Amino acid sequence: FVIGTPDGTVRTAAACTDFCGSITWHPNSDFFTWTDREALWLFNLSGTQPHVLLENQTDDPASTQVYQGISWAQNGRLFLLWQQAWEGGTRVVLDVPTSRIIPVPVSFVYADPFPTEVSWMRDDRMLIARSTIGGSSRSASLELWRVDVDAGQLILEESTQPDGAFSIAGSVH
């Protein structure tokens, strides 16, 4: 449901099927998304019906693919998503006008104590914090990536890997 303020009018956005959640507001506040068993949905507040951004595949555990919104870039065109499988998931960027899915390199997360963290910067680049734990060694890196929409890929612009055995959590630009 959508509730208008300050008048309190209530209207139905859509009926959700099963695991409804992951509501994410667009930067201009005219749109929001959510996920259910069927799809990743986009609702325009000036409209009456939701629009399917991406269909989910949930019929077979081996090929499960569920998209959940994480955050929008400031440009309102690029949308960071979880692309979840039966176990674990990876991050992808959806170029909304073209429906092109651009994978975030090496972003799979399962049960990692310090998962790869991905966040948008104000200039629509991505800040990626990675921690690597292998046996008794640890390392971490911070990376800046730019989305090349025309090529359908992320381009690494800068990376730093400080000396020392540590992990990164809660990176913020």
Side-chain angles (χ1 to χ4, degrees):
F1 297 95
V2 177
I3 301 174
T5 57
D7 63 2
T9 57
V10 177
R11 62 187 184 132
T12 301
C16 250
T17 59
D18 293 330
F19 46 85
C20 186
S22 298
I23 296 172
T24 310
W25 283 97
H26 189 271
N28 72 10
S29 296
D30 290 339
F31 306 92
F32 65 92
T33 64
W34 74 90
T35 298
D36 67 8
R37 175 177 287 283
E38 293 177 27
L40 172 66
W41 299 91
L42 175 74
F43 187 79
N44 183 337
L45 291 175
S46 62
T48 59
Q49 296 293 318
H51 169 74
V52 173
L53 284 179
L54 294 170
E55 290 186 17
N56 293 327
Q57 288 88 40
T58 58
D59 294 335
D60 175 31
S63 62
T64 294
Q65 201 163 249
V66 175
Y67 296 97
Q68 293 184 322
I70 298 173
S71 61
W72 289 88
Q74 290 296 311
N75 66 14
R77 174 182 180 149
L78 303 171
F79 192 18
L80 179 63
L81 306 173
W82 277 107
Q83 183 180 26
Q84 294 182 297
W86 179 251
E87 292 185 344
T90 191
R91 263 62 60 87
V92 297
V93 173
L94 174 65
D95 178 35
V96 174
T98 65
S99 297
R100 178 183 261 174
I101 296 173
I102 304 168
V104 175
V106 193
S107 65
F108 180 78
V109 175
Y110 179 62
D112 307 312
F114 295 99
T116 297
E117 296 181 1
V118 181
S119 59
W120 290 109
M121 296 171 55
R122 290 192 180 270
D123 62 2
D124 300 322
R125 290 184 300 164
M126 303 186 95
L127 174 65
I128 299 181
R130 299 185 195 278
S131 298
T132 305
I133 301 172
S136 62
S137 67
R138 287 185 178 200
S139 65
S141 67
L142 282 174
E143 305 164 356
L144 297 179
W145 293 79
R146 176 178 46 85
V147 180
D148 183 339
V149 174
D150 294 330
Q153 64 183 0
L154 296 182
I155 307 295
L156 179 63
E157 290 190 335
E158 188 175 345
S159 178
T160 182
Q161 187 171 1
D163 293 332
F166 59 90
S167 299
I168 297 176
S171 60
V172 177
H173 176 264

